[in-house]
Amino acid sequence: MAKKAKITILAIETSCDETTAAIIKGPRSINKTNIATPKIINNIVYSQLKLHKKTKGIVPEVASRAHVEKIITVVDKALDGIKGNLKEVDLIAVTSGPGLIGSLLVGVDTAKALSYIYQVPIIPINHLEAHIYANFVREIKNKKSKIKNIFPSIVLIVSGGHTQLILMRGHGDYKVLGSTIDDAAGEAFDKVASILGLSYPGGPAIAAAAAKSPTTNYQLPITLPRPMIDSDNLDFSFSGLKTAVLYAVKELTADNHLKITKLPNYKIAAVAAEFQQAVVDVLIAKTVKATRKYRVRTVMIGGGVASNQLLRQEMKKRISPRELSNSLFLVPDPSLCTDNAVAVGICAYYKYHLQPETINDFKKINIDPEMTL
Ligand code: KG4
Ligand code: ZN
Protein backbone atom coordinates (compact mmCIF):
# COMPACT_ATOMS: atom_id res chain seq x y z
CA MET A 1 0.00 0.00 0.00
CA ALA A 2 1.34 3.46 -0.91
CA LYS A 3 2.28 5.65 2.05
CA LYS A 4 -0.10 8.50 2.83
CA ALA A 5 1.19 11.97 1.91
CA LYS A 6 0.48 13.22 5.43
CA ILE A 7 1.40 11.90 8.83
CA THR A 8 -1.20 12.03 11.63
CA ILE A 9 0.03 12.34 15.21
CA LEU A 10 -2.02 11.77 18.35
CA ALA A 11 -0.35 13.72 21.17
CA ILE A 12 -1.02 13.20 24.89
CA GLU A 13 0.17 15.33 27.80
CA THR A 14 -0.64 14.63 31.48
CA SER A 15 2.60 15.58 33.25
CA CYS A 16 1.02 17.88 35.83
CA ASP A 17 -2.56 19.13 36.14
CA GLU A 18 -3.95 19.37 32.62
CA THR A 19 -5.34 16.31 30.85
CA THR A 20 -4.77 17.12 27.20
CA ALA A 21 -4.76 15.45 23.80
CA ALA A 22 -4.33 16.81 20.29
CA ILE A 23 -4.28 15.65 16.70
CA ILE A 24 -1.84 17.24 14.31
CA LYS A 25 -1.21 16.48 10.67
CA GLY A 26 1.76 17.42 8.51
CA PRO A 27 3.56 16.45 5.31
CA ARG A 28 5.37 13.12 5.46
CA SER A 29 8.18 14.23 3.21
CA ILE A 30 9.89 17.52 3.85
CA ASN A 31 12.72 19.77 2.89
CA LYS A 32 14.88 19.44 6.02
CA THR A 33 15.96 23.05 6.01
CA ASN A 34 12.44 24.34 5.83
CA ILE A 35 9.97 22.13 7.69
CA ALA A 36 6.36 23.08 6.99
CA THR A 37 4.26 23.82 10.05
CA PRO A 38 1.83 20.94 10.63
CA LYS A 39 -1.87 21.66 10.97
CA ILE A 40 -3.64 21.45 14.34
CA ILE A 41 -6.71 19.31 13.74
CA ASN A 42 -7.94 19.23 17.31
CA ASN A 43 -6.74 20.45 20.71
CA ILE A 44 -8.56 19.27 23.83
CA VAL A 45 -7.56 20.53 27.27
CA TYR A 46 -9.28 19.46 30.47
CA SER A 47 -7.94 21.67 33.23
CA GLN A 48 -7.95 20.41 36.81
CA LEU A 49 -7.69 23.96 38.17
CA LYS A 50 -11.02 23.88 39.97
CA LEU A 51 -9.93 20.80 41.89
CA HIS A 52 -6.60 22.30 42.95
CA LYS A 53 -8.09 25.68 43.90
CA LYS A 54 -9.62 24.02 46.94
CA THR A 55 -6.19 22.99 48.27
CA LYS A 56 -4.40 26.10 46.86
CA GLY A 57 -1.95 23.80 45.13
CA ILE A 58 -1.63 20.40 43.51
CA VAL A 59 -2.03 17.27 45.61
CA PRO A 60 -0.33 14.68 43.34
CA GLU A 61 -2.76 11.89 44.22
CA VAL A 62 -5.75 14.11 43.37
CA ALA A 63 -4.13 15.10 40.06
CA SER A 64 -3.42 11.53 38.94
CA ARG A 65 -6.92 10.35 39.85
CA ALA A 66 -8.45 13.19 37.86
CA HIS A 67 -6.24 12.24 34.87
CA VAL A 68 -7.48 8.64 35.10
CA GLU A 69 -11.08 9.83 35.17
CA LYS A 70 -10.72 12.13 32.15
CA ILE A 71 -8.03 10.74 29.85
CA ILE A 72 -10.25 8.50 27.69
CA THR A 73 -12.85 11.24 27.20
CA VAL A 74 -10.13 13.75 26.29
CA VAL A 75 -8.44 11.40 23.78
CA ASP A 76 -11.83 10.44 22.36
CA LYS A 77 -12.73 14.13 21.85
CA ALA A 78 -9.39 14.81 20.16
CA LEU A 79 -10.02 11.89 17.82
CA ASP A 80 -13.29 13.53 16.73
CA GLY A 81 -11.02 15.61 14.51
CA ILE A 82 -10.31 12.50 12.43
CA LYS A 83 -13.83 11.11 12.73
CA GLY A 84 -12.84 8.93 15.68
CA ASN A 85 -10.74 6.75 13.43
CA LEU A 86 -7.74 5.68 15.49
CA LYS A 87 -6.51 3.63 12.54
CA GLU A 88 -5.64 6.91 10.85
CA VAL A 89 -3.06 7.69 13.56
CA ASP A 90 0.54 6.99 12.41
CA LEU A 91 2.38 8.02 15.53
CA ILE A 92 1.61 8.62 19.21
CA ALA A 93 3.51 11.37 21.04
CA VAL A 94 3.42 11.42 24.82
CA THR A 95 5.11 13.40 27.59
CA SER A 96 7.28 10.93 29.51
CA GLY A 97 8.92 13.42 31.92
CA PRO A 98 9.67 15.55 33.86
CA GLY A 99 6.53 15.76 35.99
CA LEU A 100 4.50 14.11 38.71
CA ILE A 101 4.95 10.32 38.72
CA GLY A 102 1.26 9.41 38.98
CA SER A 103 0.25 12.02 36.39
CA LEU A 104 2.92 10.98 33.86
CA LEU A 105 1.95 7.32 34.25
CA VAL A 106 -1.63 7.97 33.16
CA GLY A 107 -0.63 9.57 29.84
CA VAL A 108 2.20 7.15 29.13
CA ASP A 109 0.16 4.03 29.93
CA THR A 110 -2.74 5.28 27.81
CA ALA A 111 -0.30 5.85 24.94
CA LYS A 112 1.18 2.38 25.46
CA ALA A 113 -2.22 0.68 25.46
CA LEU A 114 -3.23 2.43 22.22
CA SER A 115 0.17 1.65 20.69
CA TYR A 116 -0.24 -2.04 21.58
CA ILE A 117 -3.76 -2.34 20.21
CA TYR A 118 -3.29 -0.30 17.04
CA GLN A 119 0.36 -1.21 16.35
CA VAL A 120 1.45 2.43 16.21
CA PRO A 121 4.93 3.51 17.39
CA ILE A 122 5.48 6.09 20.15
CA ILE A 123 7.76 9.13 20.41
CA PRO A 124 8.37 9.99 24.08
CA ILE A 125 8.58 13.75 24.59
CA ASN A 126 10.43 15.77 27.23
CA HIS A 127 7.97 18.24 28.75
CA LEU A 128 10.57 21.04 28.67
CA GLU A 129 11.17 20.45 24.99
CA ALA A 130 7.43 20.64 24.37
CA HIS A 131 7.39 24.08 26.05
CA ILE A 132 10.09 25.16 23.61
CA TYR A 133 8.23 23.74 20.60
CA ALA A 134 5.11 25.75 21.41
CA ASN A 135 7.12 28.42 19.56
CA PHE A 136 6.99 26.33 16.39
CA VAL A 137 3.22 25.93 16.36
CA ARG A 138 2.71 28.84 14.02
CA GLU A 139 4.93 29.35 11.09
CA ILE A 140 7.62 31.55 12.55
CA LYS A 141 7.36 34.80 10.70
CA ASN A 142 9.13 38.07 10.76
CA LYS A 143 7.01 41.11 9.88
CA LYS A 144 8.43 41.26 6.39
CA SER A 145 9.58 37.76 5.57
CA LYS A 146 9.75 34.30 7.00
CA ILE A 147 12.84 33.89 9.17
CA LYS A 148 15.23 31.56 7.45
CA ASN A 149 17.48 30.93 10.39
CA ILE A 150 16.10 30.65 13.89
CA PHE A 151 19.26 29.18 15.38
CA PRO A 152 21.19 29.76 17.47
CA SER A 153 18.45 30.77 19.85
CA ILE A 154 18.25 31.62 23.54
CA VAL A 155 15.23 29.98 25.15
CA LEU A 156 13.82 30.99 28.52
CA ILE A 157 11.65 28.27 30.07
CA VAL A 158 9.58 29.59 32.96
CA SER A 159 7.03 27.21 34.43
CA GLY A 160 5.75 25.97 37.77
CA GLY A 161 8.62 23.52 38.10
CA HIS A 162 11.43 25.03 36.02
CA THR A 163 13.30 28.24 35.29
CA GLN A 164 16.08 27.72 32.76
CA LEU A 165 18.01 29.60 30.15
CA ILE A 166 18.99 27.39 27.25
CA LEU A 167 21.16 27.84 24.21
CA MET A 168 19.38 26.01 21.37
CA ARG A 169 21.85 25.40 18.57
CA GLY A 170 19.45 23.47 16.35
CA HIS A 171 16.46 21.15 16.60
CA GLY A 172 17.05 18.82 19.55
CA ASP A 173 20.41 20.45 20.35
CA TYR A 174 20.42 22.15 23.75
CA LYS A 175 22.90 23.53 26.24
CA VAL A 176 21.55 24.60 29.63
CA LEU A 177 23.18 27.94 30.49
CA GLY A 178 21.50 28.63 33.82
CA SER A 179 18.76 27.39 36.14
CA THR A 180 17.08 28.40 39.34
CA ILE A 181 19.02 27.40 42.41
CA ASP A 182 15.83 27.16 44.50
CA ASP A 183 12.21 27.95 43.54
CA ALA A 184 10.99 28.16 39.94
CA ALA A 185 9.45 31.47 38.79
CA GLY A 186 5.94 29.96 38.57
CA GLU A 187 6.36 28.41 42.01
CA ALA A 188 7.23 31.87 43.37
CA PHE A 189 4.06 33.32 41.80
CA ASP A 190 2.02 30.53 43.40
CA LYS A 191 3.60 30.92 46.85
CA VAL A 192 3.37 34.72 46.86
CA ALA A 193 -0.28 34.53 45.77
CA SER A 194 -0.90 32.29 48.75
CA ILE A 195 0.83 34.78 51.10
CA LEU A 196 -1.38 37.54 49.70
CA GLY A 197 -4.53 35.44 50.07
CA LEU A 198 -5.02 35.27 46.29
CA SER A 199 -6.29 32.22 44.45
CA TYR A 200 -4.46 29.34 42.77
CA PRO A 201 -2.75 29.33 40.29
CA GLY A 202 -0.85 32.34 41.52
CA GLY A 203 0.43 33.66 38.18
CA PRO A 204 -2.87 34.85 36.70
CA ALA A 205 -4.12 35.92 40.18
CA ILE A 206 -1.04 38.11 40.80
CA ALA A 207 -1.19 39.58 37.29
CA ALA A 208 -4.87 40.47 37.80
CA ALA A 209 -4.20 42.01 41.24
CA ALA A 210 -1.18 43.94 39.90
CA ALA A 211 -3.29 45.40 37.10
CA LYS A 212 -5.40 47.19 39.75
CA SER A 213 -2.33 48.82 41.30
CA PRO A 214 -1.98 51.85 38.98
CA THR A 215 -5.59 52.82 39.70
CA THR A 216 -5.21 52.93 43.49
CA ASN A 217 -2.62 55.76 43.71
CA TYR A 218 -0.96 53.93 46.58
CA GLN A 219 2.83 53.82 46.60
CA LEU A 220 4.38 50.80 48.28
CA PRO A 221 6.85 52.09 50.91
CA ILE A 222 9.33 49.31 50.07
CA THR A 223 11.17 47.96 47.05
CA LEU A 224 11.49 44.21 46.75
CA PRO A 225 14.90 42.71 45.88
CA ARG A 226 15.81 41.55 42.34
CA PRO A 227 17.72 38.41 43.39
CA MET A 228 20.93 37.61 41.49
CA ILE A 229 20.19 40.29 38.90
CA ASP A 230 23.86 41.36 38.83
CA SER A 231 25.47 37.97 39.42
CA ASP A 232 27.95 37.03 36.73
CA ASN A 233 26.25 33.75 35.91
CA LEU A 234 22.91 32.95 34.28
CA ASP A 235 21.31 31.28 37.31
CA PHE A 236 18.19 32.46 39.13
CA SER A 237 16.91 32.47 42.70
CA PHE A 238 13.32 33.26 43.75
CA SER A 239 13.09 31.86 47.23
CA GLY A 240 14.47 35.01 48.92
CA LEU A 241 12.03 37.18 46.96
CA LYS A 242 9.12 35.15 48.34
CA THR A 243 10.48 35.62 51.89
CA ALA A 244 10.91 39.35 51.24
CA VAL A 245 7.21 39.51 50.28
CA LEU A 246 6.31 37.74 53.51
CA TYR A 247 8.26 40.30 55.58
CA ALA A 248 6.82 43.18 53.57
CA VAL A 249 3.29 41.96 54.18
CA LYS A 250 4.01 41.55 57.89
CA GLU A 251 5.29 45.12 58.02
CA LEU A 252 2.29 46.47 56.13
CA THR A 253 -0.09 44.78 58.54
CA ALA A 254 1.89 45.49 61.72
CA ASP A 255 0.49 48.95 62.51
CA ASN A 256 -3.01 47.89 63.33
CA HIS A 257 -2.41 44.20 64.12
CA LEU A 258 -4.42 43.06 61.13
CA LYS A 259 -4.06 39.51 59.96
CA ILE A 260 -2.13 39.06 56.70
CA THR A 261 -5.31 38.00 54.95
CA LYS A 262 -6.92 41.27 55.97
CA LEU A 263 -4.44 43.39 54.02
CA PRO A 264 -6.62 45.88 52.11
CA ASN A 265 -6.99 45.26 48.38
CA TYR A 266 -5.05 48.35 47.31
CA LYS A 267 -2.02 47.19 49.32
CA ILE A 268 -2.32 43.65 47.94
CA ALA A 269 -2.36 45.19 44.45
CA ALA A 270 0.78 47.20 45.18
CA VAL A 271 2.70 44.21 46.57
CA ALA A 272 1.55 42.04 43.64
CA ALA A 273 2.70 44.67 41.14
CA GLU A 274 6.11 45.11 42.76
CA PHE A 275 6.60 41.33 43.02
CA GLN A 276 5.61 40.79 39.38
CA GLN A 277 7.96 43.58 38.29
CA ALA A 278 10.82 42.10 40.34
CA VAL A 279 10.43 38.66 38.70
CA VAL A 280 10.13 40.18 35.23
CA ASP A 281 13.18 42.43 35.78
CA VAL A 282 15.34 39.43 36.73
CA LEU A 283 14.08 37.20 33.90
CA ILE A 284 14.69 39.93 31.35
CA ALA A 285 18.11 40.96 32.68
CA LYS A 286 19.39 37.37 32.50
CA THR A 287 17.86 36.71 29.07
CA VAL A 288 19.40 39.91 27.68
CA LYS A 289 22.76 38.93 29.18
CA ALA A 290 22.62 35.50 27.50
CA THR A 291 21.49 37.03 24.19
CA ARG A 292 24.45 39.45 24.23
CA LYS A 293 26.92 36.75 25.17
CA TYR A 294 25.90 34.21 22.53
CA ARG A 295 24.89 36.66 19.77
CA VAL A 296 21.84 34.61 18.83
CA ARG A 297 19.37 35.13 16.01
CA THR A 298 16.24 34.63 18.10
CA VAL A 299 14.99 34.57 21.68
CA MET A 300 12.07 32.30 22.54
CA ILE A 301 10.11 31.82 25.75
CA GLY A 302 7.89 28.99 26.97
CA GLY A 303 6.14 27.58 30.03
CA GLY A 304 3.16 28.88 32.01
CA VAL A 305 4.85 32.11 33.20
CA ALA A 306 5.51 33.01 29.53
CA SER A 307 1.79 33.83 29.28
CA ASN A 308 2.42 36.77 31.64
CA GLN A 309 1.60 39.97 29.73
CA LEU A 310 4.15 42.18 31.50
CA LEU A 311 6.94 39.69 30.74
CA ARG A 312 5.87 39.43 27.08
CA GLN A 313 5.60 43.22 26.62
CA GLU A 314 8.88 44.07 28.33
CA MET A 315 10.76 41.25 26.60
CA LYS A 316 9.46 42.50 23.25
CA LYS A 317 10.72 46.00 24.05
CA ARG A 318 14.16 44.82 25.14
CA ILE A 319 14.80 42.21 22.47
CA SER A 320 14.48 43.47 18.94
CA PRO A 321 16.94 43.44 16.04
CA ARG A 322 17.60 47.16 16.53
CA GLU A 323 18.15 46.97 20.28
CA LEU A 324 20.11 43.79 20.64
CA SER A 325 22.69 42.09 18.43
CA ASN A 326 20.16 41.67 15.66
CA SER A 327 18.06 39.23 17.69
CA LEU A 328 14.35 38.76 17.24
CA PHE A 329 11.89 37.86 20.02
CA LEU A 330 9.43 35.01 19.37
CA VAL A 331 6.66 34.00 21.72
CA PRO A 332 3.84 31.41 21.54
CA ASP A 333 0.19 32.29 21.93
CA PRO A 334 -0.54 32.55 25.72
CA SER A 335 -2.82 29.48 25.54
CA LEU A 336 0.11 27.41 24.27
CA CYS A 337 2.50 28.55 27.03
CA THR A 338 0.71 26.53 29.71
CA ASP A 339 0.67 22.72 29.41
CA ASN A 340 -0.90 21.44 26.20
CA ALA A 341 -0.64 18.46 23.87
CA VAL A 342 -0.34 20.55 20.69
CA ALA A 343 3.24 21.51 21.59
CA VAL A 344 3.96 17.83 22.33
CA GLY A 345 2.66 16.88 18.89
CA ILE A 346 4.65 19.60 17.12
CA CYS A 347 7.81 18.54 18.95
CA ALA A 348 7.17 14.94 17.89
CA TYR A 349 6.62 16.04 14.29
CA TYR A 350 10.09 17.62 14.20
CA LYS A 351 11.60 14.54 15.84
CA TYR A 352 9.86 12.23 13.37
CA HIS A 353 11.67 14.09 10.57
CA LEU A 354 14.99 14.99 12.19
CA GLN A 355 15.53 12.42 14.96
CA PRO A 356 13.74 9.27 13.73
CA GLU A 357 15.80 7.21 16.18
CA THR A 358 13.53 8.53 18.96
CA ILE A 359 10.55 6.63 17.49
CA ASN A 360 10.12 3.56 19.64
CA ASP A 361 8.21 0.43 20.50
CA PHE A 362 5.80 0.83 23.45
CA LYS A 363 7.76 -1.76 25.44
CA LYS A 364 10.74 0.60 25.54
CA ILE A 365 8.88 3.68 26.76
CA ASN A 366 9.25 4.58 30.43
CA ILE A 367 8.46 7.64 32.50
CA ASP A 368 11.25 9.71 34.02
CA PRO A 369 9.90 12.25 36.56
CA GLU A 370 13.32 13.93 36.83
CA MET A 371 14.05 14.10 33.09
CA THR A 372 16.32 16.98 32.05
CA LEU A 373 17.04 18.53 28.67
O1 KG4 B 1 3.95 25.30 32.28
P1 KG4 B 1 2.88 25.21 33.30
O2 KG4 B 1 1.44 25.25 32.82
O3 KG4 B 1 3.03 23.93 34.19
C1 KG4 B 1 4.30 23.46 34.59
O4 KG4 B 1 4.96 22.81 33.76
O5 KG4 B 1 4.65 23.80 35.73
O6 KG4 B 1 3.13 26.42 34.31
C2 KG4 B 1 2.33 26.64 35.43
C3 KG4 B 1 2.84 27.86 36.15
C4 KG4 B 1 2.12 28.12 37.47
O7 KG4 B 1 3.09 28.31 38.47
C5 KG4 B 1 1.33 29.40 37.20
O8 KG4 B 1 1.15 30.21 38.34
C6 KG4 B 1 2.20 30.08 36.16
O9 KG4 B 1 2.66 29.03 35.35
N1 KG4 B 1 1.43 31.04 35.35
C7 KG4 B 1 1.69 32.37 35.31
C8 KG4 B 1 0.70 32.94 34.49
N2 KG4 B 1 -0.11 31.94 34.03
C9 KG4 B 1 0.35 30.77 34.57
N3 KG4 B 1 2.64 33.09 35.92
C10 KG4 B 1 2.63 34.43 35.71
N4 KG4 B 1 1.72 35.07 34.95
C11 KG4 B 1 0.73 34.37 34.32
N5 KG4 B 1 -0.16 35.02 33.57
ZN1 ZN C 1 4.68 22.84 31.85
Side-chain angles (χ1 to χ4, degrees):
M1 201 169 65
K3 275 196 171 176
K4 290 179 288 179
K6 297 234 158 118
I7 172 164
T8 303
I9 302 178
L10 164 64
I12 298 173
E13 146 67 44
T14 64
S15 66
C16 192
D17 60 345
E18 322 276 0
T19 318
T20 86
I23 298 284
I24 70 148
K25 237 181 208 192
R28 194 180 279 272
S29 54
I30 49 140
N31 164 358
K32 288 198 175 172
T33 53
N34 186 15
I35 298 179
T37 308
K39 211 169 155 194
I40 301 165
I41 306 295
N42 230 347
N43 174 25
I44 309 297
V45 181
Y46 168 74
S47 173
Q48 303 178 353
L49 280 185
K50 263 194 199 159
L51 273 180
H52 304 310
K53 261 191 196 334
K54 288 182 209 155
T55 44
K56 294 206 163 206
I58 300 170
V59 177
E61 167 72 14
V62 173
S64 52
R65 272 193 203 197
H67 283 308
V68 172
E69 281 168 14
K70 287 287 173 207
I71 188 72
I72 298 300
T73 316
V74 166
V75 169
D76 190 45
K77 273 198 186 156
L79 288 169
D80 279 351
I82 50 170
K83 301 196 176 75
N85 186 6
L86 238 161
K87 287 190 183 140
E88 218 186 278
V89 173
D90 302 294
L91 189 61
I92 300 173
V94 64
T95 308
S96 58
L100 301 169
I101 299 177
S103 294
L104 287 166
L105 273 173
V106 178
V108 168
D109 276 4
T110 304
K112 282 182 168 192
L114 294 172
S115 162
Y116 172 63
I117 298 165
Y118 291 91
Q119 299 288 299
V120 178
I122 298 183
I123 292 195
I125 298 293
N126 181 322
H127 182 65
L128 300 172
E129 228 179 329
H131 275 315
I132 297 174
Y133 274 82
N135 285 281
F136 292 82
V137 170
R138 286 166 297 153
E139 222 174 336
I140 294 180
K141 278 187 181 154
N142 190 344
K143 268 190 191 138
K144 288 184 193 130
S145 63
K146 205 168 138 187
I147 308 170
K148 286 208 184 79
N149 291 315
I150 293 162
F151 306 117
S153 180
I154 288 291
V155 189
L156 174 70
I157 298 182
V158 266
S159 69
H162 293 83
T163 301
Q164 288 196 323
L165 265 171
I166 293 145
L167 175 65
M168 188 173 179
R169 292 171 285 214
H171 288 289
D173 181 0
Y174 313 103
K175 183 180 177 202
V176 177
L177 304 174
S179 302
T180 179
I181 58 168
D182 41 54
D183 293 352
E187 192 180 352
F189 269 99
D190 295 336
K191 287 178 176 170
V192 165
S194 168
I195 294 170
L196 294 176
L198 299 171
S199 67
Y200 178 85
I206 290 207
K212 292 184 189 135
S213 174
T215 56
T216 65
N217 282 334
Y218 169 73
Q219 290 284 319
L220 201 64
I222 46 133
T223 306
L224 291 171
R226 270 66 175 157
M228 293 180 76
I229 198 161
D230 294 319
S231 71
D232 52 12
N233 56 26
L234 294 168
D235 288 332
F236 302 89
S237 164
F238 293 107
S239 161
L241 179 56
K242 168 198 67 193
T243 313
V245 170
L246 188 62
Y247 282 119
V249 169
K250 278 192 177 153
E251 221 173 284
L252 290 170
T253 52
D255 312 345
N256 41 12
H257 305 289
L258 290 171
K259 275 195 195 157
I260 285 174
T261 46
K262 295 272 174 63
L263 200 63
N265 284 343
Y266 67 92
K267 287 191 180 176
I268 290 177
V271 178
E274 169 64 2
F275 165 76
Q276 180 177 239
Q277 191 65 58
V279 175
V280 167
D281 286 351
V282 175
L283 294 176
I284 289 183
K286 295 275 169 161
T287 308
V288 166
K289 192 175 189 162
T291 309
R292 283 218 172 96
K293 185 166 176 192
Y294 292 92
R295 306 193 138 264
V296 292
R297 289 202 169 93
T298 55
V299 173
M300 301 193 252
I301 56 173
V305 182
S307 57
N308 184 279
Q309 287 304 330
L310 184 72
L311 176 64
R312 297 163 77 93
Q313 283 159 12
E314 298 216 346
M315 198 74 102
K316 200 172 165 196
K317 267 190 234 154
R318 292 292 300 281
I319 295 170
S320 69
R322 218 185 299 157
E323 296 283 322
L324 207 68
S325 38
N326 230 13
S327 302
L328 190 69
F329 175 53
L330 307 168
V331 60
D333 187 83
S335 67
L336 294 171
C337 290
T338 44
D339 296 347
N340 68 90
V342 167
V344 173
I346 301 288
C347 184
Y349 181 73
Y350 276 84
K351 284 188 183 294
Y352 165 81
H353 286 301
L354 303 175
Q355 294 172 281
E357 69 282 4
T358 61
I359 304 173
N360 226 324
D361 185 273
F362 74 88
K363 289 182 198 131
K364 302 215 174 98
I365 309 290
N366 288 309
I367 63 153
D368 178 0
E370 306 296 330
M371 193 183 284
T372 52
L373 264 183

